Each structure stands twice: as structure tokens, then as C-alpha cells.
Amino acid sequence: MLIAMTRAVSPRIAECELTHLAREPINPGRARVQHRRYEELLAELGCELHHLPPEPELPDSVFVEDTAVVLDELAVITRPGAESRRAETASVAEALKPYRKLFHIQAPGTLDGGDVLRIGKTLYVGLSNRSNLEGIEQLQRIVIAFGYSINAVRLRDCLHLKSAVTQVAENTLLINRAWTDAAVFHDFQLIDAAISEPFSANALRIADSLIYPEAFTQTRKRLEAQGIKVRTVDVSELAKAEGGVTCCSLIFTAE
Ligand code: GLY
């Protein structure tokens, strides 16, 4: 069984953290409608939805990916790099407890789940404004016992590693080379995000399909040309809050 943990959009989403985007008005009602369609798509692709308790006072709480790294054998509760986001983790830890043994990133370490790209037994981790070296080293100490290795990756001009690169097929990654070092991923086939669509490297892979923002038509053509099945969703309001399609769920298998 594939579980997708999601959380409703906060009515305060317009007060979200922003790092690389200028603030513009966000319509919480429209964001909620888009988020519900995203959840429907998760269900259509076979996920069982687990709705986390709403956190109406926490503007970024819809972006649950940042609060935990869920692996087959364990889950690591993060310590988000933005102080305003740290209170998001308690309810996620509570919800994950029945499914996984939990470990925690401790101060002064910081880690956002959006910086962790798992491919097999390798965790590529963005060294970003949100995830510091101490956080990455703590993650390494936790996961090494379970056979995982860590590969820290430098970023520029983007929020998280998964803003710059995501897995879109077994051996294929979608990448914005302007934001990360493509040489790190030399073992993979790389599909480039269209230059006109810098935010288009964030795709959510569920089984053999992708959940993908409908705005990125040029990059979508490149994905489909490689035989990748793409299901699109309008996430334009969530994108104004610097969130992508991976950010809005925690996906993991359970018995
Ligand atoms: N607004 C998403 C984030 O900064 O974490």
C-alpha cells in the first residue's frame, strides 16, 4: 500500500516563507481547490490519503515534504531551516509513529525534506539555505546503519535540491543545470528543464506516472518524448508560495 500524507492549505498561506520569489497575492481558496485536485490525482494513481491535522496558524504547513524523510526502514523528523516552520513537525511525527521507527535532527542541525532526493540506497542532499552541514551529517549518522549513503550537493539560486532535480523514471532525472551540479548525476540519463521554465524540474513520480504542474508545457513535451506518462495539475497558487508538486505530500509504502 502506498500512503500519501497531505495537509490542508493554511488560510495564512500568503504569509509563507519566500526565498527566491517576490511576494504576490495568493488566493487561499484557489490554493485549496488546486490542492484538493492534487490529492485526487494522488488517489487516482493508487495512493491512500492520510490527512494530517490542519495547522491553520502555520502558513507553510501544506508543504509537508519538508518535515520528514521517510525511508523503507525508518523516518527522520527534520528540523526545518526556517524557524517559522519548526512547529510543523510535531503532528507529522505523531502520524508517522505507527509506520516507522523515528529519528530526529537536533539543533544546531537543520534539514528540509525538500533537499533530500532518494534514489535507491543513495540520498542526495542539497546543501542549501535550509539544510546545513550539521543537519546533513546527522542524517548520515542515522541512515548509515540502514545501508544508505549520502551525497551532499551544492545548489545555487533555488530553494531546495528538488527544485533543481527530481527522478522521473527508473534511471532518468529531470534537471535544471543552472541550479545544481549536473556532474553529480553522471550515472543517470538527464532530461533538461526548458530554459524558459526554470521551475519545471520538480516532478512527483508515483509508480510509472508523474504528477506535474500544467504550466510547464515545454518541459512536459520533453518528458513525454521519452515515453514518460505525465498527469498535470494546476498548482499556480501553491507555486507563488515557492512550493512544488513534491512539497505537498509525504509518500511511502506501508503494510
Ligand atoms: N514557502 C515554502 C518554504 O519556504 O518553505
Side-chain angles (χ1 to χ4, degrees):
M1 177 170 66
L2 207 52
I3 295 188
M5 283 189 175
T6 60
R7 171 144 49 209
V9 174
S10 160
R12 294 181 57 183
I13 186 168
E15 299 163 54
C16 65
E17 295 284 338
L18 287 176
T19 310
H20 297 281
L21 287 183
R23 196 168 295 279
E24 50 180 319
I26 301 177
N27 181 322
R30 200 174 306 139
R32 264 193 294 279
V33 171
Q34 292 178 355
H35 184 255
R36 274 199 292 272
R37 178 61 199 133
Y38 169 85
E39 290 180 322
E40 283 168 12
L41 209 42
L42 286 169
E44 285 169 28
L45 292 174
C47 295
E48 180 156 315
L49 286 171
H50 179 132
H51 297 281
L52 291 159
E55 295 276 16
E57 295 307 316
L58 301 178
D60 280 299
S61 55
V62 66
F63 301 126
V64 294
E65 173 183 56
D66 293 319
T67 59
V69 178
V70 187
L71 303 172
D72 291 345
E73 308 83 350
L74 71 154
V76 179
I77 305 302
T78 65
R79 182 168 178 270
E83 193 158 359
S84 71
R85 301 202 55 191
R86 299 215 174 123
E88 294 174 28
T89 59
S91 58
V92 174
E94 208 47 44
L96 284 171
K97 223 190 269 173
Y99 298 107
R100 295 291 192 273
K101 182 172 167 53
L102 301 186
F103 296 81
H104 295 260
I105 300 296
Q106 312 285 352
T110 62
L111 185 75
D112 276 16
D115 274 318
V116 183
L117 173 65
R118 184 189 66 80
I119 303 181
K121 285 292 211 180
T122 302
L123 304 183
Y124 295 90
V125 189
L127 190 52
S128 69
N129 286 340
R130 297 291 178 84
S131 301
N132 63 17
L133 199 52
E134 168 67 25
I136 296 173
E137 285 173 356
Q138 286 185 29
L139 180 67
Q140 181 165 38
R141 286 197 288 275
I142 293 166
V143 300
I144 202 162
F146 297 88
Y148 291 88
S149 62
I150 297 272
N151 197 338
V153 186
R154 292 209 174 268
L155 303 178
R156 38 184 186 274
D157 302 333
C158 66
L159 183 58
H160 289 131
L161 178 64
K162 279 188 271 189
S163 318
V165 59
T166 51
Q167 185 177 21
V168 292
E170 189 56 30
N171 198 40
T172 307
L173 308 181
L174 176 61
I175 190 165
N176 176 341
R177 293 174 198 249
W179 287 352
T180 189
D181 180 6
V184 173
F185 303 103
H186 61 85
D187 284 340
F188 300 93
Q189 181 190 347
L190 299 180
I191 299 176
D192 285 288
I195 302 257
S196 57
E197 297 175 343
F199 289 88
S200 66
N202 183 263
L204 176 59
R205 183 169 177 239
I206 308 278
D208 62 351
S209 295
L210 289 188
I211 295 183
Y212 195 66
E214 79 176 14
F216 302 132
T217 54
Q218 298 310 308
T219 307
R220 177 185 173 185
K221 281 185 203 152
R222 296 180 183 189
L223 293 165
E224 289 176 333
Q226 297 299 318
I228 295 169
K229 279 188 250 165
V230 181
R231 301 287 303 272
T232 60
V233 60
D234 179 6
V235 284
S236 49
E237 289 303 305
L238 298 163
K240 292 179 196 169
E242 218 167 350
V245 285
T246 63
C247 308
C248 296
S249 53
L250 282 166
I251 313 277
F252 56 92
T253 54
E255 298 290 303

